[in-house]
Amino acid sequence: MSEANSSNFISRLAEHRKLVEQAALKAVYEYGSMVITNAKTITPVDTGKLASSGGVEPPKINGDSVTIVIGFGAAYAAAV
């Protein structure tokens, strides 16, 4: 890609930044949802409390990065 083409691409990308951001947020959220769904299938089940505490927070844009928090919120410890 030539320097002129690169500059043109970057300019056009900046023009569509909001669309790109929305697509990134959606993709990250869908991926996080897939990860937590798969994690729930391998979560130990006694009462179901741990598995039901799994969740995905909405993704956030931090500068040039998109971040997401996924995890389980139930207090849980292995029996000793």
Side-chain angles (χ1 to χ4, degrees):
M1 184 180 278
S2 73
E3 188 174 332
N5 285 342
S6 295
S7 294
N8 187 29
F9 174 76
I10 291 169
S11 294
R12 292 183 66 201
L13 189 59
E15 292 170 12
H16 299 290
R17 182 178 182 99
K18 196 67 176 168
L19 292 173
V20 172
E21 286 177 352
Q22 292 303 315
L25 290 169
K26 180 180 178 187
V28 168
Y29 187 80
E30 288 177 1
Y31 184 76
S33 295
M34 181 184 70
V35 169
I36 201 69
T37 298
N38 289 337
K40 287 179 179 183
T41 67
I42 60 172
T43 301
V45 177
D46 183 19
T47 65
K49 182 178 176 182
L50 179 61
S52 67
S53 74
V56 181
E57 292 185 10
K60 296 178 182 169
I61 296 175
N62 300 312
D64 289 336
S65 299
V66 177
T67 59
I68 193 165
V69 175
I70 61 173
F72 295 92
Y76 183 84
V80 238

